[in-house]
Amino acid sequence: MLDYPLLAALAAVIRTGSFEHAALELHVTPSAVSQRIKQLEDRLGTVLIIRAQPCTPTAAGARLLRHVEDVGLLEHKLRADLAGIVPADKAPTLRLAINADSLATWFVEVIAACDGLLFDLVLDDEDYSADWLRRGEVIAAVTAQPGPVQGCNSTALGSQRYIATASPAYMERWFPEGVTADAMALAPALTFNMKDGLQSRWAQAAFGKRLTLPAHSLPSPQAFLAAALAGIGWGMNPEALVADHIAKGRLVPLLPDRPWDVALYWQSSRIVASAVGHLNQAVLKASKRWLITGP
């Protein structure tokens, strides 16, 4: 049997990043937290915490954190079902993997609808977010992968529409004769990070061949949009973020008849399905408002 006070210490260290902050959360001394982690590691025969600044979990530690969070969710559901019988406790934490554009557009609405829950969001590209589920490090993910990860349910949410946009001044400088493959091979693009292949895929579909795009890397949706407005580069921005800028002439679509739709799916662990029903409903409601669900 796992010792849950020891697991609580492990979860606190991983969440806060240090033994000192975990001690404050648990109302014990840092030495007591260290002893609990060592005791748990000795019992399991493996290292669970990489002691650095900040502290991070090993693969085994991350999996145990997921277990602690699963149990917390189930107990939260039990307290709701047995209100007045089981005493209230602190809100459980949900660790989810989500792409940055969903967080910047529609997912905050989900969080607002889930009163009584705490969220720990891991940001990753929609093509890679399902990997966090496979490793057992999150309970749910917004992903571009339609097929369910083992042990998960998968629900289609709709498509996030992207528009290739740039400022009018940028268009005049880099595309004076129109948006062509030759011009695009020289014009600076914007990418979110090394995993972001959206600009390249759109350009290849638009021109029928693979292009090598010079690009700035800006790992922030807000900075990404600000860079487009400032004329630094062109990029694929969610339509919800740029529609007003386009309407007011601050941004211009590179090719107005070529939007790019990315289908998104909500995958969540079956183990805690009964405890995250409200979350699932909030995700479906928000995505219906923000994403393209029709043909």
Side-chain angles (χ1 to χ4, degrees):
M1 294 292 291
L2 293 171
D3 189 320
Y4 281 88
L6 303 186
L7 288 175
L10 175 70
V13 171
I14 295 173
R15 280 197 300 264
T16 65
S18 76
F19 286 72
E20 291 76 15
H21 291 154
L24 291 173
E25 180 178 302
L26 297 173
H27 305 292
V28 298
T29 65
S31 176
V33 173
S34 180
Q35 290 172 12
R36 293 179 190 182
I37 299 300
K38 185 177 185 305
Q39 186 178 352
L40 185 59
E41 290 178 329
D42 289 345
R43 285 188 184 182
L44 296 177
T46 187
V47 175
L48 302 173
I49 294 290
I50 299 172
R51 290 150 174 85
Q53 295 294 332
C55 293
T56 57
T58 62
R63 183 61 188 88
L64 283 172
L65 174 64
R66 163 78 183 279
H67 174 74
V68 173
E69 292 175 344
D70 287 351
V71 171
L73 272 174
L74 294 172
E75 289 183 346
H76 180 72
K77 173 91 167 40
L78 179 64
R79 285 192 293 272
D81 292 342
L82 299 177
I85 299 176
V86 178
D89 200 357
K90 64 180 182 180
T93 298
L94 308 183
R95 196 165 196 240
L96 314 175
I98 184 171
N99 60 313
D101 287 333
S102 290
L103 181 59
T105 52
W106 62 274
F107 204 82
V108 169
E109 188 173 306
V110 175
I111 299 174
C114 294
D115 190 33
L117 298 174
L118 300 176
F119 287 81
D120 178 9
L121 301 183
V122 175
L123 292 183
D124 206 344
D125 187 273
E126 62 271 11
D127 290 325
Y128 298 88
S129 54
D131 292 341
W132 292 82
L133 279 170
R134 293 189 186 92
R135 295 193 297 265
E137 296 185 41
V138 298
I139 67 159
V142 174
T143 174
Q145 178 179 318
V149 173
Q150 184 176 3
C152 296
N153 296 318
S154 180
T155 304
L157 297 177
S159 295
Q160 179 89 275
R161 172 157 288 182
Y162 290 84
I163 309 293
T165 54
S167 71
Y170 179 94
M171 296 292 289
E172 290 178 9
R173 177 182 178 185
W174 293 100
F175 302 122
E177 305 300 325
V179 180
T180 65
D182 290 342
M184 184 154 285
L186 299 175
L190 304 171
T191 61
F192 191 77
N193 55 29
M194 291 181 64
K195 294 180 178 179
D196 179 14
L198 196 55
Q199 283 68 220
S200 294
R201 290 196 295 270
W202 178 85
Q204 183 173 354
F207 298 104
K209 61 180 180 180
R210 186 175 181 83
L211 301 176
T212 300
L213 304 175
H216 301 281
S217 181
L218 299 168
S220 160
Q222 292 75 21
F224 201 96
L225 176 57
L229 289 166
I232 294 171
W234 73 269
M236 305 296 293
N237 280 293
E239 185 177 40
L241 294 183
V242 298
D244 185 60
H245 293 298
I246 293 173
K248 294 179 178 177
R250 293 189 288 259
L251 288 175
V252 179
L254 269 64
L255 297 173
D257 60 343
R258 280 197 172 271
W260 186 266
D261 295 343
V262 176
L264 297 176
Y265 301 84
W266 175 245
Q267 296 214 31
S268 58
S269 170
R270 295 193 191 107
I271 294 176
V272 293
S274 64
V276 295
H278 182 55
L279 169 65
N280 292 338
Q281 291 172 9
V283 167
L284 294 177
K285 182 178 179 180
S287 63
K288 186 176 181 179
R289 275 180 21 87
W290 287 87
L291 303 181
I292 299 171
T293 55

